[in-house]
C-alpha cells in the first residue's frame, strides 16, 4: 500500500482540526490522520515545535495553523479555490478573508468554551465519549486519568460559567450576522461560490449543530446530558444553524 503524501495530526473532534480536514477533502488531497486525545496531542505536536493542532506534514514541510493549511491546500489541491487570488498590491483583506479571520479569532474559541462548559459538567458522559474516540493505548490511559485531563482542559481554556455566558453572547451575535448576510438569498456567505468563509464557519460552528457529516465522531446526542441536547436544538433552529446543516449536507466532501 502506498503511503499517503500528507499526514494530519489532530484531536479528532476538534473543530479547528475539522477545518483542516475539510480543506484537504475539498481539494481531494489524500492524507493519513494521526489522532490524539487532548494532552496526548503534545506527543504529535512537540516534535514540530508546536503545542497545538492541527499540524499538516507534507514531506519536509510542516504547516501548523488551520488557516495556513487552507492556503496550502489552495496552492497544491485540485478543488475550487477557498481564497480569492489577489495581487501583491492588495493591502486590504477581501470579504472571504474578513469572515474567515473573524470566525477563526472569535467564533472558534467561543464555541470551544461553550461546548466544554457543558461537557466538563458531565464527567462520566464526556469520559466515555473520549474513551471511545481515543486511538489504541490512549483509550486505556484516559479512563483512570480523566480527572486530571478534565482539570487541565478547564484550566487551559479558563472554562467558567461567566466566560461561557460571554462566549454564548458572541456566538449569538455572529449567528445573527451570518443569517442577516444570507437573508438576500445568496447560497454562500460571499456570493455564489463556496469559500474559506463558509468552510471556516461550517467547521468551527459544527459542534453546535452536530451534523452527521462531521469528519470525526462528536459527542453523541443519544444519551447526552439535557444541556447538550438543548444547546444543539437551539442552534439547529436558527437560520445560521440551518445553513450549517446545508453546508455539511451539500459541501462537506468526504475522503
Amino acid at each position: 500500500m502506498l503511503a499517503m503524501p500528507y499526514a494530519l495530526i489532530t484531536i479528532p473532534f476538534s473543530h479547528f482540526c475539522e477545518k483542516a480536514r475539510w480543506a484537504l477533502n475539498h481539494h481531494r488531497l489524500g492524507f493519513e490522520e494521526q489522532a490524539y486525545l487532548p494532552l496526548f496531542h503534545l506527543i504529535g505536536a512537540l516534535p514540530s515545535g508546536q503545542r497545538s493542532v492541527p499540524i499538516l506534514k507534507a514531506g519536509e514541510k510542516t504547516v501548523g495553523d488551520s488557516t495556513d493549511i487552507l492556503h496550502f491546500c489552495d496552492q497544491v489541491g485540485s478543488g475550487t479555490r477557498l481564497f480569492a487570488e489577489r495581487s501583491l498590491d492588495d493591502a486590504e483583506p477581501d470579504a472571504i478573508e474578513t469572515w474567515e479571520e473573524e470566525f477563526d479569532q472569535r467564533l472558534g474559541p467561543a464555541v470551544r468554551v461553550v461546548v466544554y462548559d457543558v461537557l466538563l459538567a458531565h464527567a462520566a458522559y464526556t469520559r466515555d465519549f473520549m474513551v471511545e474516540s481515543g486511538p489504541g493505548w490512549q483509550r486505556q490511559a484516559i479512563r483512570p486519568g480523566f480527572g486530571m485531563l478534565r482539570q487541565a482542559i478547564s484550566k487551559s481554556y479558563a472554562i467558567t460559567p461567566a466566560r461561557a455566558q460571554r462566549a454564548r453572547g458572541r456566538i449569538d451575535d455572529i449567528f445573527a450576522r451570518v443569517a442577516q448576510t444570507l437573508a438576500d438569498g445568496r447560497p454562500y456567505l460571499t456570493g455564489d461560490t463556496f469559500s474559506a468563509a463558509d468552510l471556516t464557519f461550517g467547521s468551527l460552528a459544527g459542534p453546535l449543530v452536530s451534523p452527521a457529516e462531521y469528519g470525526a465522531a462528536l459527542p453523541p446526542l443519544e444519551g447526552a446530558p439535557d444541556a447538550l441536547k438543548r444547546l444543539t436544538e437551539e442552534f439547529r433552529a436558527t437560520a445560521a444553524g440551518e445553513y450549517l446543516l446545508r453546508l455539511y449536507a451539500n459541501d462537506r466532501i468526504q475522503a
Side-chain angles (χ1 to χ4, degrees):
M1 181 180 294
L2 293 176
M4 289 290 186
Y6 304 108
L8 184 67
I9 301 171
T10 71
I11 296 171
F13 47 82
S14 159
H15 52 344
F16 282 99
C17 293
E18 169 69 354
K19 179 181 168 186
R21 197 164 41 222
W22 192 339
L24 286 158
N25 290 155
H26 173 81
H27 277 295
R28 309 289 187 180
L29 296 171
F31 67 96
E32 175 192 3
E33 184 165 353
Q34 299 175 4
Y36 296 88
L37 290 173
L39 290 189
F40 294 111
H41 76 277
L42 294 172
I43 298 171
L46 287 176
S48 298
Q50 298 185 206
R51 298 183 64 84
S52 63
V53 293
I55 297 171
L56 179 65
K57 292 185 175 180
E60 297 299 316
K61 185 179 180 65
T62 297
V63 188
D65 172 83
S66 63
T67 300
D68 290 343
I69 291 172
L70 265 61
H71 282 291
F72 176 83
C73 290
D74 263 0
Q75 293 168 10
V76 303
S78 60
T80 57
R81 288 188 62 89
L82 296 169
F83 291 96
E85 293 190 71
R86 300 177 61 206
S87 163
L88 294 177
D89 296 329
D90 292 335
E92 294 297 323
D94 64 15
I96 295 173
E97 292 172 325
T98 299
W99 276 118
E100 194 276 341
E101 182 176 7
E102 178 168 14
F103 297 148
D104 211 60
Q105 299 299 316
R106 299 185 71 240
L107 178 64
V111 170
R112 183 166 51 206
V113 169
V114 165
V115 173
Y116 267 133
D117 181 60
V118 174
L119 293 179
L120 297 183
H122 298 85
Y125 168 83
T126 304
R127 179 200 62 211
D128 290 347
F129 162 68
M130 288 194 178
V131 167
E132 288 300 314
S133 299
W137 61 270
Q138 295 179 46
R139 296 182 181 217
Q140 304 302 319
I142 198 67
R143 191 176 293 278
F146 182 73
M148 181 178 68
L149 173 61
R150 182 185 179 203
Q151 291 180 354
I153 292 172
S154 181
K155 182 177 180 180
S156 178
Y157 298 126
I159 308 294
T160 66
R163 286 200 78 231
Q165 185 176 13
R166 290 194 297 272
R168 175 61 189 264
R170 189 175 307 133
I171 295 168
D172 288 341
D173 172 68
I174 291 173
F175 266 53
R177 289 192 291 110
V178 165
Q180 184 179 25
T181 299
L182 297 169
D184 62 5
R186 67 181 67 189
Y188 298 107
L189 280 168
T190 58
D192 294 330
T193 305
F194 178 80
S195 74
D198 308 288
L199 185 152
T200 304
F201 181 65
S203 55
L204 299 190
L208 298 174
V209 298
S210 193
E213 300 85 359
Y214 197 85
L218 288 171
L221 294 180
E222 183 177 355
D226 289 343
L228 182 60
K229 291 179 181 177
R230 261 195 322 272
L231 186 74
T232 304
E233 290 167 359
E234 288 169 2
F235 281 108
R236 283 181 174 180
T238 65
E242 293 175 358
Y243 173 62
L244 276 169
L245 293 172
R246 289 199 307 273
L247 280 176
Y248 272 92
N250 298 330
D251 297 283
R252 180 60 177 94
I253 296 171
Q254 300 295 329

